């Protein structure tokens, strides 16, 4: 039986690498992201095992609609909440509010909305949720108040969701990588 993973933020970095790896291992991969051209390129590369969907995690209607995909894509076994943003590392008082709100809506609200929408299917299939947090969740750095705060939320959300889902067969994991050379870090520095 082929399993299905939904990877948010599949257009770069960890998400793109995960999409390739899972497809190579025989999984069906639903990859979401904001950049349609990158999703098309990934679809061309991975073929029929990949379904690329242009979704902004701040669009809660589109995020909720991911729970309404048709067969075989609706049979989601693993949710990889990877999509994330960071504002500039300016002091909080100097950071544009729109950028702060965009980060919170992507890293926290969108992640919670998608997880909530997919929970019935994940419980039914005794699936797994992997949330990408960050070492920034526990190690402060100058200019990191908003980003690190959202990643601390993701870490704690994962721990408490694990408690809520005890006995359902759904596993919840928080991965907290340190600095890695990806487009994310290159853009931020």
């Amino acid at each position: 039986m082929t399993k299905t993973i939904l990877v948010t933020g599949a257009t770069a970095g960890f998400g793109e690498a995960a999409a390739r790896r899972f497809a190579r291992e025989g999984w069906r991969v639903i990859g979401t992201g904001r950049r349609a051209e990158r999703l098309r390129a990934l679809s061309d590369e991975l073929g029929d095992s990949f379904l690329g969907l242009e979704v902004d995690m701040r669009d809660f209607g589109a995020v909720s609609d991911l729970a309404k995909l048709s067969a075989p894509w609706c049979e989601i076994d693993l949710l990889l909440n990877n999509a994330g943003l960071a504002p500039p590392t300016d002091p909080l008082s100097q950071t544009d509010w729109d950028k702060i709100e965009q980060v919170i809506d992507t890293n926290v609200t969108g992640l919670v909305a998608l997880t909530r929408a997919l929970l019935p299917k994940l419980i039914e299939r005794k699936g797994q949720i992997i949330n990408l947090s960050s070492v920034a969740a526990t190690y402060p750095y100058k200019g990191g108040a908003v980003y690190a705060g959202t990643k601390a939320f993701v870490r704690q959300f994962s721990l408490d969701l694990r408690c809520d889902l005890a006995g359902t067969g759904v596993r919840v994991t928080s991965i907290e990588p340190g600095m890695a050379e990806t487009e994310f870090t290159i853009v931020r520095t």
Side-chain angles (χ1 to χ4, degrees):
M1 175 171 90
T2 302
K3 293 192 172 202
T4 303
I5 180 173
L6 191 156
V7 181
T8 66
T11 57
F14 293 141
E16 184 178 13
R20 284 190 175 106
R21 178 66 184 261
F22 277 90
R24 192 169 52 244
E25 296 294 326
W27 288 59
R28 277 189 298 267
V29 178
I30 304 162
T32 70
R34 294 174 290 128
R35 296 175 281 193
E37 71 284 351
R38 291 188 179 195
L39 290 167
R40 280 191 297 278
L42 207 48
S43 184
D44 290 345
E45 176 187 336
L46 301 178
D48 293 340
S49 66
F50 183 78
L51 174 64
L53 299 172
E54 188 177 355
V55 175
D56 186 326
M57 294 300 288
R58 298 172 298 153
D59 180 346
F60 306 122
V63 166
S64 295
D65 285 347
L66 291 170
K68 302 173 187 170
L69 295 172
S70 58
W73 302 101
C74 62
E75 302 298 323
I76 298 170
D77 299 285
L78 173 55
L79 169 60
L80 174 53
N81 278 313
N82 166 71
L85 297 173
T89 55
D90 299 327
L92 183 62
S93 62
Q94 296 172 20
T95 304
D96 181 62
W97 178 254
D98 289 340
K99 292 191 183 301
I100 292 170
E101 193 171 45
Q102 182 180 18
V103 170
I104 293 169
D105 285 348
T106 299
N107 297 4
V108 174
T109 312
L111 179 144
V112 173
L114 179 57
T115 302
R116 182 176 183 268
L118 293 182
L119 270 179
K121 180 59 71 177
L122 290 164
I123 291 169
E124 174 188 317
R125 297 182 67 80
K126 298 190 183 325
Q128 183 172 5
I129 300 166
I130 300 174
N131 294 322
L132 209 68
S133 179
S134 169
V135 69
T138 52
Y139 294 99
Y141 64 95
K142 187 175 181 168
V146 175
Y147 175 75
T150 64
K151 291 306 182 174
F153 174 89
V154 171
R155 180 180 188 276
Q156 191 62 44
F157 174 75
S158 301
L159 293 170
D160 288 307
L161 185 60
R162 185 182 307 152
C163 291
D164 289 350
L165 294 173
T168 67
V170 177
R171 294 168 293 159
V172 180
T173 304
S174 175
I175 298 176
E176 299 165 11
M179 195 68 101
E181 190 173 322
T182 67
E183 179 181 295
F184 185 84
T185 54
I186 294 168
V187 170
R188 294 188 58 230
T189 58

